Amino acid sequence: MGKVYLVGAGPGDIDLITVKGVKCIEEADIILYDRLINKDLLNYAKKDVELIYCGKLPHYHTLKQETINKFLVKHALKGKVVTRLKGGDPFVYGRGGEEAEALANQGVDFEIVPGITSGIAAPAYAGIPVTHRELSSTFAFVTGHRKEGEEEELRWESLAKGIDTLAIYMGVSNLPYICSMLQKHGRKKETPVALIHWGTTGAQRTVTGTLETIIEEVKKADIQNPSMIVVGEVVNLRSKLSWFEKMSHDQENASIAVNAL
């Protein structure tokens, strides 16, 4: 029997994958990879590796989750080393738990290789710490998908009143709803908000505002998925701590200067 590695590829910057994650890519006979991984990571793979694309877009899935689960089991039972390569961390909104269950149910040997999740990395690259002794002692990862009903109301009430910093995944399309629910349940309209598009990559862009203004700011900047939403007072530290975009800007200016010589 083979083995399956459920590997977190990190948030986008190729250097942010773990050493163990790279080893799993190098050893794999088959790699099933998602849309948001840095494709340059596949250069670590063997020349004869079989690559299977499993990318998902909002409202469109290349492969259904059930099919991915079957592929993992099928190839492992054939004696193959299978690496399932996921953006961020496989157990943070990556359906890694579902895949691990499918493997366990079939008696397939597997390992979980954690990765850096974008809920921490994207804010860090935007100069926003998710915790801070004076501003944020609690933070939460939240899915931005909208639900209906009383349970949903209770969820937003607890998030609005009980958590200092929110890192919201997959929430761009529901941003008006998110801002509305947080204000409805007690967050002040002046609460700082940031959206970080393609965090940790060369395409990173960050837009800031408040619960009252961020929707208009996002429209003006045409921010789309994939983007991380950060809500909380720590967003105000960006003006002082922003380093990555400044570094990228300085490198771009230096390159322009060299080319002009």
Side-chain angles (χ1 to χ4, degrees):
M1 185 182 291
K3 186 169 186 175
V4 176
Y5 295 98
L6 302 177
V7 177
D13 183 338
I14 192 171
D15 292 334
L16 294 182
I17 191 171
T18 63
V19 173
K20 186 167 185 176
V22 170
K23 289 179 179 178
C24 293
I25 296 172
E26 293 172 336
E27 296 172 10
D29 300 309
I30 297 170
I31 297 176
L32 290 85
Y33 67 98
D34 281 349
R35 178 176 72 96
L36 295 181
I37 72 156
N38 188 321
K39 303 301 186 296
D40 289 343
L41 289 172
L42 299 176
N43 293 332
Y44 288 111
K46 298 185 291 190
K47 290 184 178 179
D48 60 348
V49 70
E50 181 180 348
L51 299 175
I52 301 175
Y53 179 63
C54 306
K56 296 181 177 69
L57 287 165
H59 312 299
Y60 177 77
H61 293 179
T62 301
L63 293 177
K64 292 183 178 180
Q65 187 60 52
E66 293 78 8
T67 303
I68 295 171
N69 295 349
K70 289 178 181 178
F71 277 6
L72 296 174
V73 171
K74 179 181 74 172
H75 290 299
L77 291 177
K78 288 182 178 180
K80 302 293 185 180
V81 175
V82 183
T83 291
R84 175 73 172 102
L85 200 56
K86 297 170 168 290
D89 181 279
F91 274 14
V92 181
Y93 301 123
R95 297 195 175 182
E98 296 174 41
E99 294 172 0
E101 277 190 288
L103 296 167
N105 289 341
Q106 297 299 320
V108 174
D109 192 20
F110 66 90
E111 285 189 33
I112 310 299
V113 181
I116 300 173
T117 183
S118 57
I120 295 173
Y125 269 53
I128 302 169
V130 294
T131 66
H132 187 281
R133 279 200 303 170
E134 297 176 2
L135 300 175
S136 175
S137 61
T138 58
F139 76 98
F141 294 155
V142 184
T143 175
H145 291 319
R146 181 174 180 174
K147 299 178 181 178
E148 300 290 347
E150 183 178 348
E151 184 178 334
E152 174 76 348
E153 291 282 337
L154 291 173
R155 181 176 81 116
W156 283 109
E157 182 177 7
S158 62
L159 290 173
K161 294 179 179 179
I163 307 295
D164 296 324
T165 303
L166 305 176
I168 303 174
Y169 296 67
M170 302 169 286
V172 175
S173 62
N174 282 333
L175 184 60
Y177 172 74
I178 292 167
C179 292
S180 172
M181 292 298 285
L182 288 173
Q183 290 179 83
K184 176 181 177 181
H185 292 291
R187 278 287 174 109
K188 296 178 180 179
K189 63 182 181 180
E190 298 85 7
T191 302
V193 183
L195 268 80
I196 308 151
H197 179 63
W198 280 114
T200 79
T201 74
Q204 176 174 312
R205 288 194 298 145
T206 304
V207 173
T208 58
T210 67
L211 286 176
E212 184 179 38
T213 66
I214 193 64
I215 298 167
E216 189 60 33
E217 296 297 330
V218 166
K219 286 180 181 177
K220 286 193 291 186
D222 192 27
I223 298 294
Q224 306 290 334
N225 280 312
S227 294
M228 177 61 55
I229 303 170
V230 183
V231 180
E233 296 301 322
V234 289
V235 171
N236 285 333
L237 291 171
R238 169 174 163 74
S239 59
K240 183 187 297 185
L241 304 183
S242 178
W243 63 274
F244 177 68
E245 289 159 55
K246 179 181 182 299
M247 180 182 70
S248 300
H249 181 70
D250 290 346
Q251 289 173 344
E252 182 179 345
N253 285 342
S255 178
I256 293 171
V258 169
N259 292 333
L261 294 177

